[in-house]
């Protein structure tokens, strides 16, 4: 019995699977889907339209022109402002300068006046709306400066409009 052949057992290999790569791919997929879901959500912008009430008593009608200030940017640091509509302005067009004694002072004063009037009507927090119109001859620095003035003067509602009416183009070319 001693000479019996021994059973040869095959060596079993480890069946362990490395899942490190699978975990990395899983996290990347989770992050990808989280980002795409967030970007797919519709985004909206608040739109401030004028009220259709008949209780306003400012000159020029009841529309938003009572709260609008238009700033025209021209060449050589030229800055012209007016309030309301150009053909019936609440504040006539005038040339001003950049800085605390120029446009910033005017924006503060006009915004304060409109806020007081809005508060008297029971519509607190409705300040001015500024329409910035840079001309083609205006340099980029002037546009950045006027945007800085909006931030300093705490003007929340403003728009950059590249179109000029013929009257505004004449006004900017004069003087």
């Amino acid at each position: 019995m001693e000479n019996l052949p021994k059973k040869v057992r095959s060596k079993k290999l480890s069946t362990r699977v490395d899942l490190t790569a699978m975990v990395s791919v899983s996290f990347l997929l989770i992050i990808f889907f989280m980002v795409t879901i967030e970007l797919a959500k519709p985004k909206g912008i608040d739109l401030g339209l004028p009220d259709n009430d008949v209780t306003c008593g400012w000159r020029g009608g009841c529309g938003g022109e009572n709260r609008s200030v238009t700033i025209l940017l021209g060449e050589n640091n030229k800055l012209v402002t007016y309030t309301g509509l150009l053909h019936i302005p609440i504040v006539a067009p005038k040339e001003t300068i950049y800085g605390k004694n120029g446009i910033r002072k005017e924006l503060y004063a006009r915004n304060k006046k409109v806020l007081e009037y809005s508060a008297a009507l029971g519509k607190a927090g409705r300040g001015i709306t500024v329409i910035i119109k840079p001309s083609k001859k205006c340099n980029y620095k002037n546009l950045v400066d006027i945007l800085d003035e909006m931030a300093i003067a705490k003007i929340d509602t403003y728009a950059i409009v590249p179109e000029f009416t013929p009257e505004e183009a004449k006004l900017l070319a004069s003087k």
Side-chain angles (χ1 to χ4, degrees):
M1 284 222 163
E2 286 182 31
N3 286 341
L4 287 174
K6 288 186 177 178
K7 286 187 176 179
V8 178
R9 292 192 175 206
S10 62
K11 197 174 194 182
K12 289 196 175 184
L13 297 174
S14 173
T15 58
R16 185 176 164 189
V17 178
D18 188 15
L19 295 176
T20 307
M22 183 64 92
V23 170
S24 297
V25 169
S26 300
F27 279 117
L28 285 173
L29 284 173
I30 290 170
I31 291 170
F32 172 77
F33 286 116
M34 286 173 58
V35 168
T36 55
I37 288 170
E38 188 62 33
L39 292 176
K41 290 180 182 175
K43 304 268 189 284
I45 299 174
D46 291 335
L47 180 62
L49 296 173
D51 292 335
N52 290 327
D53 62 359
V54 292
T55 59
C56 58
W58 285 31
R59 186 181 70 164
C62 294
E65 68 271 6
N66 297 324
R67 294 176 37 232
S68 70
V69 174
T70 304
I71 301 174
L72 307 174
L73 305 176
E75 63 182 327
N76 299 327
N77 300 330
K78 188 170 184 178
L79 187 66
V80 177
T81 66
Y82 65 90
T83 302
L85 301 174
L86 188 55
H87 60 282
I88 49 167
I90 295 169
V91 176
K94 64 179 175 180
E95 193 168 338
T96 186
I97 59 170
Y98 292 92
K100 68 178 181 177
N101 292 325
I103 188 68
R104 190 181 316 161
K105 186 176 178 181
E106 289 181 30
L107 289 173
Y108 271 132
R110 183 69 187 158
N111 199 31
K112 182 180 177 189
K113 192 174 187 180
V114 169
L115 285 171
E116 288 171 357
Y117 186 78
S118 295
L121 290 177
K123 299 175 185 176
R126 297 199 52 195
I128 61 173
T129 300
V130 178
I131 301 168
I132 303 167
K133 294 189 173 187
S135 70
K136 291 180 181 175
K137 296 178 182 178
C138 163
N139 62 25
Y140 187 72
K141 179 188 178 303
N142 290 346
L143 184 60
V144 172
D145 288 345
I146 203 66
L147 292 175
D148 287 342
E149 294 294 341
M150 295 297 117
I152 293 168
K154 294 180 176 67
I155 306 297
D156 297 328
T157 310
Y158 58 88
I160 300 172
V161 180
E163 294 92 21
F164 276 81
T165 64
E167 294 84 14
E168 289 172 335
K170 288 178 189 174
L171 181 65
L172 202 55
S174 67
K175 297 181 184 178

